[in-house]
Amino acid sequence: MTAPSTGLFISFEGIDGAGKSTHIAGLANAFKAQGRTVTLTREPGGTPLAEKLRALVLGDAMDPLTESLLVFAARRDHLVTVIEPALARGEVVLCDRFTDATFAYQGGGRGFDLDTLSTLERWVQGVPALADGAVRQPDLTIWFDLPAATAAARLADARAPDRFEAQPVAFFEHVIAGYAARAAAQPQRFARINADQPREQVWRGVVQALTQRGWLAALAQGGAA
Ligand code: TMP
């Protein structure tokens, strides 16, 4: 299999405590080892302006529309200044969360209006590189699915929680339902990984999602995570 020469946009999703980080770092190493240039980034954040908005969203009390507008404002800046240029250069963009997080957290968790989120999604993710009316979406979204109670137990000893991590288990059950609805609506874009397994097994699932699409060559036994 030859590595694709066009850009590849992969997002990673899941509730807080689902354990995305080590696998994202592992995939970045795996792609680099196969000669690809990797842009490793995150949302909210990924640019100086979006990181400022991230600090507000994670730290300051606000109503759900304000919260949604801020995450989409951060996304617009991130998309036009980091993600689109990297894709145009043919890079692999690994993004820790993208718009599915907004539908899951603001839509599912906060119960905010999904039609308004869809409108914002069309405004923010319409980019010149795409035909009129098309909306930038990840080529693949890896969803680390973990029961809310399990994630809560994992986070119990963590550092001081932010505004989302401090939410009760019931909030995260709604977030999971939000992810499930997005995955059901766009099943070809999603790879759901059962994150309630030993790390090595989760890693195998992550790698398989990429290799079966022909986007990553098979890794040496043991992998990178
Ligand atoms: P992180 O800690 O995984 O980087 O994510 C930051 C938090 O922001 C996480 O609790 C999820 C939340 N979030 C939203 O509520 N809406 C969004 O659109 C994004 C991208 C993240």
Side-chain angles (χ1 to χ4, degrees):
M1 187 215 71
T2 53
S5 58
T6 52
L8 198 54
F9 181 17
I10 303 170
S11 65
F12 301 85
E13 298 285 356
I15 58 173
D16 297 84
K20 301 176 265 113
S21 310
T22 47
H23 300 296
I24 299 173
L27 265 191
N29 289 335
F31 274 112
K32 285 181 200 163
Q34 295 184 10
R36 299 296 303 260
T37 301
V38 174
T39 290
L40 191 55
T41 190
R42 69 170 181 182
E43 290 212 350
T47 71
L49 171 59
E51 290 290 333
K52 288 183 196 167
L53 296 174
R54 175 190 176 92
L56 297 175
V57 169
L58 267 53
D60 290 33
M62 61 188 75
D63 88 304
L65 173 57
T66 310
E67 194 172 278
S68 302
L69 291 169
L70 289 182
V71 293
F72 270 115
R75 181 161 302 130
R76 178 70 186 177
D77 189 56
H78 187 212
L79 194 59
V80 298
T81 64
V82 172
I83 296 176
E84 289 296 323
L87 293 175
R89 292 191 299 268
E91 296 179 9
V92 177
V93 176
L94 302 181
C95 192
D96 187 347
R97 302 190 182 282
F98 196 63
T99 305
D100 299 306
T102 314
F103 280 81
Y105 279 78
Q106 282 64 53
R110 304 277 194 228
F112 186 65
D113 181 53
L114 298 179
D115 289 338
T116 305
L117 295 183
S118 294
T119 301
L120 292 169
E121 180 182 37
R122 281 195 302 278
W123 286 355
V124 166
Q125 291 160 234
V127 289
L130 302 175
D132 267 2
V135 168
R136 175 66 74 197
Q137 295 290 3
D139 298 301
L140 174 68
T141 296
I142 297 183
W143 170 28
F144 295 88
D145 191 17
L146 185 72
T150 310
R154 284 187 188 177
L155 284 177
D157 300 328
R159 54 183 167 71
D162 63 38
R163 282 178 66 239
F164 296 101
E165 291 163 345
Q167 294 294 321
V169 167
F171 174 88
F172 289 105
E173 279 161 359
H174 291 297
V175 174
I176 292 169
Y179 278 128
R182 286 285 277 188
Q186 301 174 50
Q188 73 297 341
R189 177 165 69 80
F190 271 83
R192 177 191 166 276
I193 311 275
N194 174 9
D196 197 6
Q197 307 182 87
R199 181 186 294 180
E200 301 68 37
Q201 251 166 286
V202 176
W203 173 243
R204 274 198 289 278
V206 170
V207 170
Q208 192 184 29
L210 272 299
T211 53
Q212 73 190 11
R213 286 167 175 79
W215 293 344
L216 191 68
L219 301 181
Q221 201 65 28

